[in-house]
Amino acid sequence: MYLKCSGNRPGDDSIGYYKVVESYRNKNNEVRQRILLNLGAIPHEKADILKALLAAYRKPDVVCTSLEDILVTEHKDYLDITVLYHLWQKWKLDKLFADFKFIVPMVINRCIDPKSKIGVTKWVGKTILPEIMDISYENVNPFAIYNELDQLNQMEEKIQKHLFHQLEKKTDILFYDITSTYFEGESCILCARGYSRDHRQDKKQIVIALVINEMGYPFYWKVLPGNTQDVTTMVDLAETLKQDFKIKKCTLIFDRGMVSDDNLYFLRDKNMHFITALDRDQIKPLGLFDLSIFTEFDLSKNIEEQLPGFQKYDDSLYYQEKQKGNTRYILGFNLDIIKKKNKELSQAKKSRNQEKLRKQLDKELRSKGMHKVIHYQLVEYKIPVVRKDNTTRTVRSFQIKPEIREKEVKKATTLFGLSCFTTELDKKELKTDKVIAAYRSKYLIEQSFRVIKNMIKLRPVYLTISERVQAHVTVCILSYLLLMTMDNMLKNSELNLSVSDALAELSDCKANTIEIKNQDKLIRNITEPTFIQKKLVETFGCKKVLRKSFYKKFLEKMEVKKM
């Protein structure tokens, strides 16, 4: 049934002759029309209203109402949640955690809006996750989340092997490093005082060891006591990679802080290749390089002439290679580091930390390697202070008079530019420039720690039971896995977006509940996707999440919250 116009009134194009007609089939199965009602001459504007009414009659989902009566009664996070859950499924983690209620919400929450464990139990109800996972979180004891942390900790080895199995063909090059994170509270048996990479010497901490492949994907991590030293972790790592993961051949890239003769001998004995670097104070005892040329180095003069026997790697790095036994040593000289240190020293002339006492100053200068460069005197002086009653009192203080030893400055800054890469890989297996490039790529694992700490909010740790602390770290690592997956997909796309930007774009697409005031009508839909949102779901390989046939079954499960 619909409205049909048979023509306009002569001399007035705003009015037409209308009738209500319906289609039917005659005995010969031919489509015909019959008139149900002649409306006569009516304005086209009013006819449009009648058309809308007839459309509502034909389609039960068409509603006639005023704009004021349309109420949006509920929003749930949709697109960012479904994309992250798609990536969770991509790693086949949905099957691994099929019997858990809170692990998925904890991991996805860390990617988007990190909250406390109890906070997650409230947050999940504001997302589409309960509908996707087909789990009701009503009347669930929120403290059950801690029981799942206990279970998660028991699954740590199983999770790691699950991830490794999917990465097995991409583990020829592995990056290893450790970091620390601090505690609020001191009751956990794992926490202890040690070298703080967070610069929080006032807090106890734990140490976290991590292995990632060259794409940045993690598959091994371990929580260690807070006073664990870098160099002591290497043997345990090598044993784990060989025995637990059955890795027969790989190249392990790790930081210079883990280098010791014993560790390198152990790796050779396990037939594991390595690429690492030496500390500056380990270079001279090698007896392979003439370091005297750097003591009088001058940035303003010709670089190549001052570096005989060196080759240019790029505009900032020059290198020279020597071999001792089966081990190659590549001495690098970085001009950018020298420029950076020169800038730091020039700022030191401004006498920062003027109110600190001598002991504090000595400690600060020594930690920065400037104790031989900067000498100082503490000169006492008096400051008049006006009291509230306008009387004056005198306060004794000190002023720092720094003395910069220019000769030591030149020597110190040039030595700061030295580094020494080392590997036992033969030149036929890996050329010198590839060795340097591989070691420089360890920024990937340094970046992973920054993301885990800053974006995923690993720190500070408030949990006190060691098993739950370890499970908290596992949750953060799994969150990082999802974010790293997004990052790699974005790098291979035409979109110039960071992971944070992408998640922010996706977060604007919600699952909405719309009600019609004073009518028994309920509409559920998602926010109209933008062009960028459509490109993002295409990039992440989940265009289906924007199809009505996909999201309709989840929206139908949403509970109605009356205004």
PDB file of all heavy atoms in Angstrom, residues 377-382 396-399:
ATOM      1  N   GLN A 377      83.273  24.369  44.297  1.00  0.00           N
ATOM      2  CA  GLN A 377      83.444  24.844  45.670  1.00  0.00           C
ATOM      3  C   GLN A 377      82.077  25.262  46.191  1.00  0.00           C
ATOM      4  O   GLN A 377      81.246  25.786  45.446  1.00  0.00           O
ATOM      5  CB  GLN A 377      84.398  26.046  45.730  1.00  0.00           C
ATOM      6  CG  GLN A 377      85.836  25.705  45.400  1.00  0.00           C
ATOM      7  CD  GLN A 377      86.719  26.939  45.482  1.00  0.00           C
ATOM      8  OE1 GLN A 377      86.228  28.069  45.484  1.00  0.00           O
ATOM      9  NE2 GLN A 377      88.025  26.721  45.547  1.00  0.00           N
ATOM     10  N   LEU A 378      81.840  24.991  47.485  1.00  0.00           N
ATOM     11  CA  LEU A 378      80.614  25.458  48.129  1.00  0.00           C
ATOM     12  C   LEU A 378      80.940  26.740  48.892  1.00  0.00           C
ATOM     13  O   LEU A 378      81.698  26.712  49.861  1.00  0.00           O
ATOM     14  CB  LEU A 378      80.057  24.395  49.070  1.00  0.00           C
ATOM     15  CG  LEU A 378      79.491  23.137  48.412  1.00  0.00           C
ATOM     16  CD1 LEU A 378      79.075  22.126  49.483  1.00  0.00           C
ATOM     17  CD2 LEU A 378      78.307  23.460  47.527  1.00  0.00           C
ATOM     18  N   VAL A 379      80.400  27.845  48.432  1.00  0.00           N
ATOM     19  CA  VAL A 379      80.680  29.149  49.043  1.00  0.00           C
ATOM     20  C   VAL A 379      79.494  29.562  49.904  1.00  0.00           C
ATOM     21  O   VAL A 379      78.361  29.650  49.428  1.00  0.00           O
ATOM     22  CB  VAL A 379      80.945  30.214  47.962  1.00  0.00           C
ATOM     23  CG1 VAL A 379      81.241  31.562  48.617  1.00  0.00           C
ATOM     24  CG2 VAL A 379      82.103  29.768  47.067  1.00  0.00           C
ATOM     25  N   GLU A 380      79.758  29.799  51.183  1.00  0.00           N
ATOM     26  CA  GLU A 380      78.677  30.167  52.105  1.00  0.00           C
ATOM     27  C   GLU A 380      78.254  31.611  51.858  1.00  0.00           C
ATOM     28  O   GLU A 380      79.082  32.492  51.602  1.00  0.00           O
ATOM     29  CB  GLU A 380      79.151  29.996  53.551  1.00  0.00           C
ATOM     30  CG  GLU A 380      78.067  30.317  54.568  1.00  0.00           C
ATOM     31  CD  GLU A 380      78.547  30.144  55.998  1.00  0.00           C
ATOM     32  OE1 GLU A 380      79.448  29.303  56.206  1.00  0.00           O
ATOM     33  OE2 GLU A 380      78.043  30.863  56.878  1.00  0.00           O
ATOM     34  N   TYR A 381      76.961  31.827  51.914  1.00  0.00           N
ATOM     35  CA  TYR A 381      76.462  33.200  51.843  1.00  0.00           C
ATOM     36  C   TYR A 381      75.184  33.296  52.668  1.00  0.00           C
ATOM     37  O   TYR A 381      74.589  32.281  53.051  1.00  0.00           O
ATOM     38  CB  TYR A 381      76.228  33.637  50.393  1.00  0.00           C
ATOM     39  CG  TYR A 381      75.059  32.982  49.708  1.00  0.00           C
ATOM     40  CD1 TYR A 381      73.895  33.694  49.446  1.00  0.00           C
ATOM     41  CD2 TYR A 381      75.130  31.644  49.304  1.00  0.00           C
ATOM     42  CE1 TYR A 381      72.829  33.088  48.807  1.00  0.00           C
ATOM     43  CE2 TYR A 381      74.072  31.036  48.659  1.00  0.00           C
ATOM     44  CZ  TYR A 381      72.918  31.772  48.420  1.00  0.00           C
ATOM     45  OH  TYR A 381      71.865  31.178  47.782  1.00  0.00           O
ATOM     46  N   LYS A 382      74.769  34.535  52.985  1.00  0.00           N
ATOM     47  CA  LYS A 382      73.642  34.765  53.880  1.00  0.00           C
ATOM     48  C   LYS A 382      72.484  35.407  53.113  1.00  0.00           C
ATOM     49  O   LYS A 382      72.684  36.256  52.267  1.00  0.00           O
ATOM     50  CB  LYS A 382      74.063  35.644  55.055  1.00  0.00           C
ATOM     51  CG  LYS A 382      75.132  34.994  55.925  1.00  0.00           C
ATOM     52  CD  LYS A 382      75.560  35.900  57.061  1.00  0.00           C
ATOM     53  CE  LYS A 382      76.639  35.224  57.909  1.00  0.00           C
ATOM     54  NZ  LYS A 382      77.059  36.099  59.034  1.00  0.00           N
ATOM     55  N   ARG A 396      71.566  31.002  56.638  1.00  0.00           N
ATOM     56  CA  ARG A 396      72.830  30.587  56.018  1.00  0.00           C
ATOM     57  C   ARG A 396      72.541  29.587  54.905  1.00  0.00           C
ATOM     58  O   ARG A 396      71.755  28.662  55.070  1.00  0.00           O
ATOM     59  CB  ARG A 396      73.770  29.954  57.043  1.00  0.00           C
ATOM     60  CG  ARG A 396      74.266  30.913  58.102  1.00  0.00           C
ATOM     61  CD  ARG A 396      75.061  30.190  59.163  1.00  0.00           C
ATOM     62  NE  ARG A 396      76.240  29.553  58.588  1.00  0.00           N
ATOM     63  CZ  ARG A 396      76.583  28.298  58.826  1.00  0.00           C
ATOM     64  NH1 ARG A 396      75.844  27.539  59.600  1.00  0.00           N
ATOM     65  NH2 ARG A 396      77.679  27.794  58.283  1.00  0.00           N
ATOM     66  N   SER A 397      73.204  29.772  53.801  1.00  0.00           N
ATOM     67  CA  SER A 397      73.052  28.823  52.702  1.00  0.00           C
ATOM     68  C   SER A 397      74.392  28.700  51.987  1.00  0.00           C
ATOM     69  O   SER A 397      75.402  29.230  52.441  1.00  0.00           O
ATOM     70  CB  SER A 397      71.952  29.280  51.742  1.00  0.00           C
ATOM     71  OG  SER A 397      71.726  28.306  50.753  1.00  0.00           O
ATOM     72  N   PHE A 398      74.381  27.969  50.858  1.00  0.00           N
ATOM     73  CA  PHE A 398      75.615  27.757  50.101  1.00  0.00           C
ATOM     74  C   PHE A 398      75.354  28.037  48.631  1.00  0.00           C
ATOM     75  O   PHE A 398      74.263  27.827  48.112  1.00  0.00           O
ATOM     76  CB  PHE A 398      76.118  26.316  50.251  1.00  0.00           C
ATOM     77  CG  PHE A 398      76.520  25.972  51.648  1.00  0.00           C
ATOM     78  CD1 PHE A 398      75.607  25.417  52.529  1.00  0.00           C
ATOM     79  CD2 PHE A 398      77.817  26.214  52.081  1.00  0.00           C
ATOM     80  CE1 PHE A 398      75.972  25.101  53.815  1.00  0.00           C
ATOM     81  CE2 PHE A 398      78.190  25.888  53.380  1.00  0.00           C
ATOM     82  CZ  PHE A 398      77.270  25.339  54.252  1.00  0.00           C
ATOM     83  N   GLN A 399      76.393  28.503  47.981  1.00  0.00           N
ATOM     84  CA  GLN A 399      76.345  28.704  46.539  1.00  0.00           C
ATOM     85  C   GLN A 399      77.431  27.839  45.903  1.00  0.00           C
ATOM     86  O   GLN A 399      78.549  27.764  46.415  1.00  0.00           O
ATOM     87  CB  GLN A 399      76.567  30.169  46.182  1.00  0.00           C
ATOM     88  CG  GLN A 399      76.351  30.438  44.700  1.00  0.00           C
ATOM     89  CD  GLN A 399      76.423  31.920  44.386  1.00  0.00           C
ATOM     90  OE1 GLN A 399      76.958  32.696  45.169  1.00  0.00           O
ATOM     91  NE2 GLN A 399      75.897  32.301  43.241  1.00  0.00           N
TER      92      GLN A 399
END
